[in-house]
Structure formats: structure tokens, C-alpha cells
Amino acid sequence: MAVNKKDQNNKDARNLGDSLLDSWTNSLNTIHASQKEVENVSIQAIGYQREVWEKLTEDLTRIEQEQKKLVEELRVVGKKNIQTLYGEEAGETFDKWNEHFDEVSLRVQQFTVTPLKETFNLLNQSQDQLQDSIKKGITQQQSLRENFLNQMKSAQKGFVDLVESNTKLALSLYKF
């Protein structure tokens, strides 16, 4: 009969230890799942933001190209009309005026559009760096979670072993 009680006490200690470990593991898994969801949402948000910046940059470039094309078409039509109405010499004057206009336009562009483009490029680069940093942080966090879980399992096993050995010791003192 004493042997049965001893075995029962050992089983109870193991069940208690397993129950505690399962409880801790379930809690950590729940926390892990919620953190994983936050990580995924963060990466998605950065990805969407990156797509917006890229689209904005592409749209700005496309608008600039369309604008140049339109201006060139207007010049060709304008020059033909001027030459038709006022002669060849007026067309040459129109070309000189356009050269001056191009110089002014280029300077205005250097002061306005070029910094905007560079800002978008910097934003795209910073988005890449931010995304990489977040991914590295997530990897570190996952590693820390795994290490913590392993340490908790090890500590829990040590606790169960300690309870088991103390129970055996206590039972051996009271020989039934």
C-alpha cells in the first residue's frame, strides 16, 4: 500500500509540474500569437506605405514627362503658326525666346521639382531601412521568445524534479 501512495504522490507531482508547464506554455503561445499578428500588421503597413511612395514617385515622373511632351507639341504648333503669320524670321525669334524660357524653366525646376524628387528618393530609402530594421527586430524578438520559453521549460522541469526529489525524500523519512 505504501508503494502505491508513493507512486501516486510522484504522479501527482509530475501532473502538477506538467500542468504548470502547460499553463505557462499556453500563455506564452497566446502572447506569441498576438505579437506575431502585430509583427505582420507592422510589416504590411510599411509595405503599403512603401507602395504609396513608389506610386507617388512614378506619378510625379510621368506628369513631368507628359508636361515636357505637351510643351514641345505647343512649341512646334506655335512656331508653325508664327512662321505662317509673320514669316521665317519671327520663327527664329520664337526659338530664341524658347531657349531663354528653357533656361528659366530649368532653374525653377532645380529649385522646386528636384528637391521634391530627392525627398521622395530619401523617403523610399528610409522606408527600406525601416522595413529592414523592423524585420531584424522581429527576428530578435522571436529569438528572445524562444530562449525565454526554453528557459521557462528548463526552470519548470527543475522545479518538478525538485518537488519530486523532495517528495521522495519526505516519503522515505516516513516509511509506511
Side-chain angles (χ1 to χ4, degrees), residues 66-83:
E66 290 293 322
Q67 182 183 16
K68 286 179 182 178
K69 184 179 169 182
L70 179 64
V71 167
E72 189 57 38
E73 288 173 5
L74 288 173
R75 284 182 180 174
V76 169
V77 170
K79 183 177 180 179
K80 282 183 184 179
N81 289 339
I82 288 174
Q83 284 178 338

PDB file of all heavy atoms in Angstrom, residues 66-83:
ATOM      1  N   GLU A  66       4.944  63.974 -69.317  1.00  0.00           N
ATOM      2  CA  GLU A  66       3.785  64.445 -70.080  1.00  0.00           C
ATOM      3  C   GLU A  66       3.831  65.958 -70.274  1.00  0.00           C
ATOM      4  O   GLU A  66       3.488  66.473 -71.334  1.00  0.00           O
ATOM      5  CB  GLU A  66       2.478  64.040 -69.389  1.00  0.00           C
ATOM      6  CG  GLU A  66       2.179  62.562 -69.422  1.00  0.00           C
ATOM      7  CD  GLU A  66       1.885  62.050 -70.819  1.00  0.00           C
ATOM      8  OE1 GLU A  66       1.227  62.765 -71.603  1.00  0.00           O
ATOM      9  OE2 GLU A  66       2.321  60.921 -71.128  1.00  0.00           O
ATOM     10  N   GLN A  67       4.264  66.649 -69.232  1.00  0.00           N
ATOM     11  CA  GLN A  67       4.366  68.104 -69.312  1.00  0.00           C
ATOM     12  C   GLN A  67       5.400  68.514 -70.374  1.00  0.00           C
ATOM     13  O   GLN A  67       5.152  69.412 -71.173  1.00  0.00           O
ATOM     14  CB  GLN A  67       4.738  68.668 -67.946  1.00  0.00           C
ATOM     15  CG  GLN A  67       4.822  70.167 -67.893  1.00  0.00           C
ATOM     16  CD  GLN A  67       5.262  70.666 -66.514  1.00  0.00           C
ATOM     17  OE1 GLN A  67       5.771  69.903 -65.702  1.00  0.00           O
ATOM     18  NE2 GLN A  67       5.072  71.938 -66.277  1.00  0.00           N
ATOM     19  N   LYS A  68       6.546  67.847 -70.372  1.00  0.00           N
ATOM     20  CA  LYS A  68       7.583  68.156 -71.370  1.00  0.00           C
ATOM     21  C   LYS A  68       7.067  67.884 -72.782  1.00  0.00           C
ATOM     22  O   LYS A  68       7.313  68.665 -73.700  1.00  0.00           O
ATOM     23  CB  LYS A  68       8.842  67.325 -71.104  1.00  0.00           C
ATOM     24  CG  LYS A  68       9.649  67.798 -69.923  1.00  0.00           C
ATOM     25  CD  LYS A  68      10.869  66.922 -69.698  1.00  0.00           C
ATOM     26  CE  LYS A  68      11.639  67.386 -68.480  1.00  0.00           C
ATOM     27  NZ  LYS A  68      12.810  66.516 -68.227  1.00  0.00           N
ATOM     28  N   LYS A  69       6.379  66.768 -72.935  1.00  0.00           N
ATOM     29  CA  LYS A  69       5.825  66.407 -74.248  1.00  0.00           C
ATOM     30  C   LYS A  69       4.807  67.456 -74.716  1.00  0.00           C
ATOM     31  O   LYS A  69       4.835  67.884 -75.872  1.00  0.00           O
ATOM     32  CB  LYS A  69       5.169  65.030 -74.133  1.00  0.00           C
ATOM     33  CG  LYS A  69       4.633  64.476 -75.407  1.00  0.00           C
ATOM     34  CD  LYS A  69       4.046  63.082 -75.133  1.00  0.00           C
ATOM     35  CE  LYS A  69       3.264  62.572 -76.308  1.00  0.00           C
ATOM     36  NZ  LYS A  69       2.654  61.260 -76.023  1.00  0.00           N
ATOM     37  N   LEU A  70       3.948  67.893 -73.818  1.00  0.00           N
ATOM     38  CA  LEU A  70       2.935  68.906 -74.154  1.00  0.00           C
ATOM     39  C   LEU A  70       3.584  70.235 -74.536  1.00  0.00           C
ATOM     40  O   LEU A  70       3.192  70.864 -75.516  1.00  0.00           O
ATOM     41  CB  LEU A  70       1.966  69.097 -72.982  1.00  0.00           C
ATOM     42  CG  LEU A  70       0.869  70.130 -73.158  1.00  0.00           C
ATOM     43  CD1 LEU A  70      -0.071  69.733 -74.287  1.00  0.00           C
ATOM     44  CD2 LEU A  70       0.100  70.329 -71.858  1.00  0.00           C
ATOM     45  N   VAL A  71       4.577  70.639 -73.759  1.00  0.00           N
ATOM     46  CA  VAL A  71       5.275  71.902 -74.055  1.00  0.00           C
ATOM     47  C   VAL A  71       5.934  71.825 -75.425  1.00  0.00           C
ATOM     48  O   VAL A  71       5.872  72.776 -76.211  1.00  0.00           O
ATOM     49  CB  VAL A  71       6.305  72.232 -72.940  1.00  0.00           C
ATOM     50  CG1 VAL A  71       7.253  73.332 -73.380  1.00  0.00           C
ATOM     51  CG2 VAL A  71       5.589  72.617 -71.657  1.00  0.00           C
ATOM     52  N   GLU A  72       6.553  70.705 -75.747  1.00  0.00           N
ATOM     53  CA  GLU A  72       7.206  70.554 -77.051  1.00  0.00           C
ATOM     54  C   GLU A  72       6.179  70.605 -78.185  1.00  0.00           C
ATOM     55  O   GLU A  72       6.415  71.253 -79.210  1.00  0.00           O
ATOM     56  CB  GLU A  72       7.998  69.236 -77.103  1.00  0.00           C
ATOM     57  CG  GLU A  72       8.877  69.094 -78.317  1.00  0.00           C
ATOM     58  CD  GLU A  72       9.877  70.216 -78.487  1.00  0.00           C
ATOM     59  OE1 GLU A  72      10.430  70.707 -77.476  1.00  0.00           O
ATOM     60  OE2 GLU A  72      10.109  70.627 -79.638  1.00  0.00           O
ATOM     61  N   GLU A  73       5.052  69.952 -77.996  1.00  0.00           N
ATOM     62  CA  GLU A  73       3.995  69.997 -79.020  1.00  0.00           C
ATOM     63  C   GLU A  73       3.484  71.424 -79.205  1.00  0.00           C
ATOM     64  O   GLU A  73       3.260  71.871 -80.346  1.00  0.00           O
ATOM     65  CB  GLU A  73       2.837  69.070 -78.635  1.00  0.00           C
ATOM     66  CG  GLU A  73       3.158  67.599 -78.755  1.00  0.00           C
ATOM     67  CD  GLU A  73       2.051  66.709 -78.207  1.00  0.00           C
ATOM     68  OE1 GLU A  73       0.979  67.215 -77.805  1.00  0.00           O
ATOM     69  OE2 GLU A  73       2.264  65.482 -78.168  1.00  0.00           O
ATOM     70  N   LEU A  74       3.299  72.157 -78.096  1.00  0.00           N
ATOM     71  CA  LEU A  74       2.843  73.545 -78.186  1.00  0.00           C
ATOM     72  C   LEU A  74       3.870  74.418 -78.913  1.00  0.00           C
ATOM     73  O   LEU A  74       3.502  75.310 -79.684  1.00  0.00           O
ATOM     74  CB  LEU A  74       2.559  74.108 -76.797  1.00  0.00           C
ATOM     75  CG  LEU A  74       1.320  73.572 -76.088  1.00  0.00           C
ATOM     76  CD1 LEU A  74       1.263  74.081 -74.654  1.00  0.00           C
ATOM     77  CD2 LEU A  74       0.057  73.965 -76.845  1.00  0.00           C
ATOM     78  N   ARG A  75       5.137  74.161 -78.673  1.00  0.00           N
ATOM     79  CA  ARG A  75       6.186  74.931 -79.353  1.00  0.00           C
ATOM     80  C   ARG A  75       6.154  74.700 -80.867  1.00  0.00           C
ATOM     81  O   ARG A  75       6.282  75.641 -81.639  1.00  0.00           O
ATOM     82  CB  ARG A  75       7.558  74.550 -78.804  1.00  0.00           C
ATOM     83  CG  ARG A  75       7.846  75.134 -77.476  1.00  0.00           C
ATOM     84  CD  ARG A  75       9.220  74.760 -77.023  1.00  0.00           C
ATOM     85  NE  ARG A  75       9.449  75.346 -75.714  1.00  0.00           N
ATOM     86  CZ  ARG A  75      10.509  75.111 -74.988  1.00  0.00           C
ATOM     87  NH1 ARG A  75      11.461  74.311 -75.442  1.00  0.00           N
ATOM     88  NH2 ARG A  75      10.651  75.677 -73.818  1.00  0.00           N
ATOM     89  N   VAL A  76       6.027  73.453 -81.241  1.00  0.00           N
ATOM     90  CA  VAL A  76       6.002  73.134 -82.678  1.00  0.00           C
ATOM     91  C   VAL A  76       4.817  73.816 -83.342  1.00  0.00           C
ATOM     92  O   VAL A  76       4.955  74.476 -84.389  1.00  0.00           O
ATOM     93  CB  VAL A  76       5.960  71.596 -82.886  1.00  0.00           C
ATOM     94  CG1 VAL A  76       5.669  71.248 -84.345  1.00  0.00           C
ATOM     95  CG2 VAL A  76       7.274  70.967 -82.434  1.00  0.00           C
ATOM     96  N   VAL A  77       3.644  73.688 -82.745  1.00  0.00           N
ATOM     97  CA  VAL A  77       2.439  74.300 -83.308  1.00  0.00           C
ATOM     98  C   VAL A  77       2.561  75.827 -83.292  1.00  0.00           C
ATOM     99  O   VAL A  77       2.230  76.505 -84.279  1.00  0.00           O
ATOM    100  CB  VAL A  77       1.177  73.835 -82.544  1.00  0.00           C
ATOM    101  CG1 VAL A  77      -0.042  74.638 -82.953  1.00  0.00           C
ATOM    102  CG2 VAL A  77       0.946  72.348 -82.749  1.00  0.00           C
ATOM    103  N   GLY A  78       3.058  76.377 -82.195  1.00  0.00           N
ATOM    104  CA  GLY A  78       3.222  77.827 -82.078  1.00  0.00           C
ATOM    105  C   GLY A  78       4.188  78.375 -83.111  1.00  0.00           C
ATOM    106  O   GLY A  78       3.943  79.416 -83.739  1.00  0.00           O
ATOM    107  N   LYS A  79       5.310  77.664 -83.297  1.00  0.00           N
ATOM    108  CA  LYS A  79       6.302  78.121 -84.278  1.00  0.00           C
ATOM    109  C   LYS A  79       5.718  78.094 -85.687  1.00  0.00           C
ATOM    110  O   LYS A  79       5.913  79.042 -86.469  1.00  0.00           O
ATOM    111  CB  LYS A  79       7.554  77.250 -84.195  1.00  0.00           C
ATOM    112  CG  LYS A  79       8.655  77.720 -85.129  1.00  0.00           C
ATOM    113  CD  LYS A  79       9.917  76.890 -84.977  1.00  0.00           C
ATOM    114  CE  LYS A  79      10.979  77.387 -85.931  1.00  0.00           C
ATOM    115  NZ  LYS A  79      12.214  76.644 -85.826  1.00  0.00           N
ATOM    116  N   LYS A  80       4.999  77.044 -86.032  1.00  0.00           N
ATOM    117  CA  LYS A  80       4.378  76.961 -87.365  1.00  0.00           C
ATOM    118  C   LYS A  80       3.399  78.111 -87.570  1.00  0.00           C
ATOM    119  O   LYS A  80       3.381  78.748 -88.634  1.00  0.00           O
ATOM    120  CB  LYS A  80       3.648  75.628 -87.527  1.00  0.00           C
ATOM    121  CG  LYS A  80       4.546  74.477 -87.804  1.00  0.00           C
ATOM    122  CD  LYS A  80       3.740  73.194 -88.019  1.00  0.00           C
ATOM    123  CE  LYS A  80       4.676  72.022 -88.207  1.00  0.00           C
ATOM    124  NZ  LYS A  80       3.931  70.767 -88.386  1.00  0.00           N
ATOM    125  N   ASN A  81       2.592  78.384 -86.555  1.00  0.00           N
ATOM    126  CA  ASN A  81       1.611  79.473 -86.659  1.00  0.00           C
ATOM    127  C   ASN A  81       2.299  80.831 -86.799  1.00  0.00           C
ATOM    128  O   ASN A  81       1.892  81.670 -87.614  1.00  0.00           O
ATOM    129  CB  ASN A  81       0.660  79.484 -85.473  1.00  0.00           C
ATOM    130  CG  ASN A  81      -0.321  78.331 -85.500  1.00  0.00           C
ATOM    131  OD1 ASN A  81      -0.578  77.738 -86.553  1.00  0.00           O
ATOM    132  ND2 ASN A  81      -0.857  77.990 -84.337  1.00  0.00           N
ATOM    133  N   ILE A  82       3.335  81.056 -86.019  1.00  0.00           N
ATOM    134  CA  ILE A  82       4.058  82.330 -86.073  1.00  0.00           C
ATOM    135  C   ILE A  82       4.730  82.480 -87.436  1.00  0.00           C
ATOM    136  O   ILE A  82       4.696  83.561 -88.047  1.00  0.00           O
ATOM    137  CB  ILE A  82       5.072  82.438 -84.916  1.00  0.00           C
ATOM    138  CG1 ILE A  82       4.318  82.651 -83.603  1.00  0.00           C
ATOM    139  CG2 ILE A  82       6.079  83.553 -85.160  1.00  0.00           C
ATOM    140  CD1 ILE A  82       5.182  82.636 -82.373  1.00  0.00           C
ATOM    141  N   GLN A  83       5.357  81.408 -87.920  1.00  0.00           N
ATOM    142  CA  GLN A  83       6.019  81.475 -89.224  1.00  0.00           C
ATOM    143  C   GLN A  83       5.000  81.707 -90.343  1.00  0.00           C
ATOM    144  O   GLN A  83       5.283  82.424 -91.301  1.00  0.00           O
ATOM    145  CB  GLN A  83       6.804  80.184 -89.495  1.00  0.00           C
ATOM    146  CG  GLN A  83       8.105  80.107 -88.728  1.00  0.00           C
ATOM    147  CD  GLN A  83       8.856  78.801 -88.978  1.00  0.00           C
ATOM    148  OE1 GLN A  83       8.288  77.797 -89.386  1.00  0.00           O
ATOM    149  NE2 GLN A  83      10.157  78.819 -88.719  1.00  0.00           N
TER     150      GLN A  83
END
